[in-house]
Amino acid sequence: MISPINLMHKTIAFMQRWPGLMAVLAFAGGVASYILVERKESLAQLIAVFLLLSWLWLLLDNWLRERIEQRFGIVLSPILVRFALQTVHQESLFFALPFFLAVTSWHHGQAAFTILIIFCALVSVVDPLYYKKLAPHRTLFVVFHAFALFVVLLIVLPVLMQLTTSQSMAAALGIAVLLSLPSLGAIMPGGRWWRVPFLLCLLTILSAGLWQLRSWVPPAAMRLNAITLSHEMDYEQRKPGDSISQVNSYDLQQQGLYSFTAVTVPRGLNEQIFHVWLHNGKEVDRIKLNITGVSSSGYRAWSHKLNFPANAEGKWQVEVVTESEQLIGLARFTVTVAAPAPQLQADF
């Protein structure tokens, strides 16, 4: 009979021969969970629970290894621990990737965040990069570790705890930074009175900097199904009229514009979003809307703007953002000069 330790070592050897297998499985799990989240299937929640448990095991690694050795006399090799750490990173990054690919606005700074996830996911798969370039550099490895945790928390918190996108963003940032504190402590020299205050200041500055860049983080739990700008709205059918991309200033002043959006969020989740109207890059209005999680068709909501400036000509856009300024999507339109009214000529 094969002992558990031998079985684990054989499993590690197999995975090392096929390093991309775990990444493929994690990515497939992310795609499946992304689809199932919209239908509130329990499998999506189970996947999220599994990821959180794997991170909990990782954080309690030293304590668990000591308890296992004391109780069962089994010594877990550093190779096993190192492999487990790499596996958790792969699971987290590849699991989260489908969520971010589906909601990223590629013409926005969000593209940089999603590309960073792709890069980190590839690093976690390529052993020469992970073990020879990343792992030996303690500071860089801690940042990589915290980033992977931050990314996966952005996915699982809305699903498991029904936190809004803004709440999930703040909680994920706080948890990732706080759980990195023990690892950061190993970087600092010991026995100095200023060590703890310095670390606290460092974490505060890091958190503040990341929060300022929060608009670059795609709202992974939300998806914009549709956005339409129109002069008309069918209130009974909850459908907009014909979409427009250009309007003259006279029609704009007389009729105004409806901004219609259909946003998908997990069932049971209540969100607050904003329609932000910008004229030539400057914000001129912000309209608050409340949405709730429904089926894949999305929660349909709209705002009707009638108050436009007298000199409304130029480039306009309507951004759909969360409370934490994370961009969900946008639409653009152009306002042209109104055609002069025809003059009547009298006959004498």
Side-chain angles (χ1 to χ4, degrees):
M1 184 176 178
I2 302 176
S3 67
I5 296 298
N6 290 334
L7 181 61
M8 284 189 292
H9 282 290
K10 288 185 177 181
T11 302
I12 293 173
F14 175 78
M15 296 302 297
Q16 287 177 337
R17 285 198 301 268
W18 303 92
L21 180 59
M22 183 57 67
V24 172
L25 293 176
F27 186 80
V31 172
S33 184
Y34 176 77
I35 296 172
L36 294 174
V37 160
E38 298 176 355
R39 303 176 184 177
K40 201 182 178 181
E41 296 286 345
S42 59
L43 179 58
Q45 296 170 335
L46 287 175
I47 294 174
V49 169
F50 170 75
L51 276 174
L52 286 182
L53 289 177
S54 66
W55 274 98
L56 181 61
W57 177 86
L58 195 61
L59 293 171
L60 299 176
D61 171 59
N62 291 330
W63 183 85
L64 287 175
R65 279 194 292 165
E66 291 177 359
R67 300 289 84 76
I68 291 173
E69 184 177 356
Q70 291 175 1
R71 186 172 182 83
F72 302 103
I74 298 175
V75 179
L76 299 180
S77 69
I79 297 176
L80 175 62
V81 176
R82 185 178 63 177
F83 174 77
L85 182 61
Q86 182 187 21
T87 300
V88 172
H89 287 157
Q90 288 180 13
E91 287 176 351
S92 302
L93 294 167
F94 279 96
F95 172 83
L97 192 54
F99 288 84
F100 286 97
L101 289 175
V103 301
T104 298
S105 298
W106 295 101
H107 54 274
H108 188 266
Q110 291 179 350
F113 186 86
T114 302
I115 291 173
L116 180 59
I117 296 177
I118 296 173
F119 174 76
C120 291
L122 293 176
V123 169
S124 70
V125 174
V126 182
D127 287 353
L129 288 177
Y130 187 84
Y131 291 115
K132 295 182 179 180
K133 300 296 183 181
L134 177 65
H137 297 85
R138 182 70 181 178
T139 303
L140 187 60
F141 190 76
V142 168
V143 173
F144 183 91
H145 183 80
F147 179 73
L149 176 59
F150 173 68
V151 166
V152 77
L153 285 174
L154 290 176
I155 306 296
V156 301
L157 289 178
V159 175
L160 290 180
M161 303 183 66
Q162 299 296 303
L163 296 182
T164 66
T165 304
S166 302
Q167 291 169 341
S168 299
M169 175 72 179
L173 180 59
I175 292 171
V177 171
L178 286 176
L179 293 182
S180 300
L181 183 59
S183 299
L184 286 173
I187 302 171
M188 303 296 298
R192 304 294 179 87
W193 66 266
W194 47 264
R195 185 167 177 259
V196 173
F198 181 84
L199 281 176
L200 291 176
C201 290
L202 180 64
L203 290 175
T204 302
I205 295 173
L206 180 61
S207 301
L210 291 174
W211 184 255
Q212 291 300 316
L213 294 174
R214 64 190 181 277
S215 63
W216 285 28
V217 180
M222 307 180 69
R223 186 178 78 241
L224 185 67
N225 286 1
I227 180 168
T228 304
L229 302 174
S230 178
H231 287 304
E232 301 175 346
M233 176 63 63
D234 187 334
Y235 285 87
E236 293 185 0
Q237 298 294 324
R238 298 173 68 87
K239 291 183 179 180
D242 294 335
S243 177
I244 66 166
S245 58
Q246 183 171 300
V247 60
N248 66 65
S249 58
Y250 177 80
D251 291 339
L252 185 69
Q253 298 288 354
Q254 294 298 312
Q255 303 178 55
L257 270 184
Y258 287 93
S259 175
F260 169 87
T261 53
V263 181
T264 296
V265 296
R267 286 181 180 271
L269 184 62
N270 295 315
E271 281 275 355
Q272 192 174 82
I273 64 172
F274 296 86
H275 284 179
V276 181
W277 296 74
L278 298 102
H279 180 213
N280 294 328
K282 182 179 179 181
E283 181 178 331
V284 296
D285 207 351
R286 179 178 290 254
I287 302 173
K288 181 172 65 176
L289 298 169
N290 293 312
I291 61 174
T292 56
V294 290
S295 63
S296 58
S297 61
Y299 186 89
R300 290 170 288 179
W302 59 86
S303 61
H304 188 198
K305 181 171 174 58
L306 292 167
N307 183 23
F308 285 90
N311 55 340
E313 294 84 2
K315 303 292 183 180
W316 285 79
Q317 68 182 35
V318 181
E319 295 183 348
V320 187
V321 301
T322 66
E323 288 181 276
S324 55
E325 298 298 327
Q326 293 171 264
L327 179 68
I328 306 172
L330 60 83
R332 295 184 175 91
F333 66 99
T334 303
V335 178
T336 59
V337 178
Q343 296 181 356
L344 299 177
Q345 294 182 355
D347 295 331
F348 295 98

